[in-house]
Amino acid sequence: MPLYRSGVALGLVDPVSLAQYRLALASTDQVRDEIETAIAADDYAYAGSLYQLAIHEGHHLPMDLGERAEGTLLRRAFVTGSGVANGFVFGSIDNGAEIAGSVSSDLVGFGDLRDFSVQGIRLAAGGDYDPVLLTLSVIGLGLTAATYGTAGAAGLADAGFAVVKNVRRAGKMSRPFAAYLAKTAGQVIDTKRLRREIASAVDEGALGLSRARAIAARVVDRKAAGALVDDARVLGEIGTAGGPRAAVQALSLAEGPSDLRRLQRIGLHFGDRSTAVMKFLGRSLMTIGWDLYLLVAALAGLAASLALFCLRQAARLLLFPCRRQLKPVFKLVSVI
């Protein structure tokens, strides 16, 4: 079964093939327990998606589990409505509805202005501030569609930045990716000039959305922001394919830009099921694992043996006319 599901050996390094392999070999009991846990947490979006994914991958699950995973219409409406409100106002991202509300607040400018004001005022006052949140809010306010190249690219990047900010604020980003962001963010904005601009605006009592955008446009280095814009665009594509929650899940797994691009392939392939794939499989999407390594090593050894056999037969055919003169060589080839 593992050999059949693995297909061609080199396919195991592809994130989509690896995900399909692990989903097929996952325990049905493990899938059932995960769905039950999601139902108990009122996470019907994840529970229903995982149920459909498991059925698609050949797991046999009871029908009533699927019905409970969908939840009642009234319960889903309540969970969704309250989640969107909490996400929009407070920026919480504990479930899909809260993520949608939180990301929406950034896309309409509310979240960027909120973070820019809070973190910027702390910077101007000499207090503790989050340089990543400040930098991302400055980029969100200061860069325009012309900077990204097209309006469509700007939309993807804006959505990606919104997700990054909310995941950062909620503390659900992987530590390696957070370290990468912190290192990159320090090169994007002129903090000394930003401190002066914000202090002046606060004294005038005019730190509104239009003033904040003007300040942000003056302090951001567009060239240095290029790497973050590219990462945000990739994250935006994941969110477009699998929803905002898939993008949030990707940030909790990715340890750097390369991981983010591997997860992009997962999102584009699995679509609205990508959240369930990422959440259920976790970091195993990024690593082949010891069992798969042994399988690949065995297949590689078999390939090497076949290649050596072919080389030996080719040598025999080429040297056959001169077999008497090259008898010692034939003995050497036989030994090899």
Side-chain angles (χ1 to χ4, degrees):
M1 180 63 180
L3 187 59
Y4 171 77
R5 292 295 302 185
S6 299
V8 181
L10 293 178
L12 293 176
V13 300
D14 176 68
V16 173
S17 300
L18 184 57
Q20 292 173 330
Y21 176 92
R22 293 198 180 279
L23 287 171
L25 294 186
S27 165
T28 300
D29 291 337
Q30 182 184 2
V31 175
R32 184 187 299 111
D33 292 343
E34 185 77 3
I35 294 173
E36 292 285 5
T37 301
I39 294 172
D42 289 335
D43 194 351
Y44 298 108
Y46 174 49
S49 179
L50 183 58
Y51 180 86
Q52 296 298 328
L53 178 66
I55 294 297
H56 182 269
E57 294 298 330
H59 293 279
H60 298 287
L61 297 172
M63 291 283 293
D64 68 300
L65 180 62
E67 295 173 357
R68 290 190 296 111
E70 291 297 325
T72 64
L73 181 61
L74 182 61
R75 185 61 183 168
R76 287 179 68 97
F78 172 77
V79 171
T80 301
S82 59
V84 169
N86 287 335
F88 189 91
V89 177
F90 302 108
S92 53
I93 56 170
D94 292 330
N95 56 49
E98 290 186 355
I99 292 168
S102 186
V103 171
S104 297
S105 71
D106 281 276
L107 291 178
V108 299
F110 176 80
D112 280 330
L113 179 60
R114 174 192 60 209
D115 293 331
F116 180 81
S117 300
V118 172
Q119 304 300 329
I121 290 174
R122 289 178 181 174
L123 169 68
D128 293 332
Y129 70 98
D130 188 326
V132 173
L133 278 182
L134 179 60
T135 299
L136 295 178
S137 63
V138 167
I139 293 175
L141 291 170
L143 298 188
T144 63
T147 307
Y148 299 114
T150 65
L156 286 175
D158 281 342
F161 279 129
V163 172
V164 173
K165 286 199 321 92
N166 284 283
V167 173
R168 169 73 176 187
R169 187 168 50 244
K172 295 188 176 182
M173 185 181 296
S174 71
R175 289 186 178 181
F177 200 88
Y180 158 74
L181 276 182
K183 180 180 178 181
T184 308
Q187 306 168 0
V188 173
I189 61 174
D190 184 345
T191 53
K192 293 182 179 179
R193 183 175 181 180
L194 179 59
R195 182 183 289 111
R196 293 194 303 268
E197 294 272 5
I198 292 178
S200 175
V202 170
D203 290 340
E204 297 172 7
L207 192 56
L209 182 58
S210 59
R211 182 67 181 272
R213 282 177 171 164
I215 294 174
R218 289 195 292 267
V219 300
V220 66
D221 185 333
R222 286 170 170 75
K223 184 177 180 180
L228 291 180
V229 170
D230 288 340
D231 294 338
R233 189 179 295 118
V234 170
L235 199 60
E237 290 183 359
I238 295 174
T240 300
R245 191 173 186 181
V248 170
Q249 196 65 38
L251 279 178
S252 70
L253 298 178
E255 294 186 351
S258 59
D259 282 353
L260 206 59
R261 281 148 182 80
R262 289 173 64 85
L263 291 170
Q264 179 188 20
R265 299 187 63 183
I266 296 291
L268 294 176
H269 179 81
F270 287 98
D272 56 5
R273 294 176 295 164
S274 56
T275 299
V277 174
M278 295 181 197
K279 187 173 177 62
F280 181 68
L281 295 179
R283 279 290 301 173
S284 65
L285 281 170
M286 306 295 170
T287 56
I288 290 182
W290 181 247
D291 53 342
L292 296 184
Y293 168 77
L294 292 177
L295 177 60
V296 173
L299 293 176
L302 176 61
S305 299
L306 289 174
L308 189 58
F309 173 78
C310 293
L311 179 63
R312 177 181 175 181
Q313 296 305 314
R316 282 181 176 276
L317 290 174
L318 290 173
L319 299 177
F320 186 77
C322 307
R323 61 187 182 282
R324 292 183 178 178
Q325 292 86 344
L326 299 176
K327 190 173 183 180
V329 177
F330 266 97
K331 289 183 179 181
L332 178 61
V333 173
S334 298
V335 171
I336 294 176

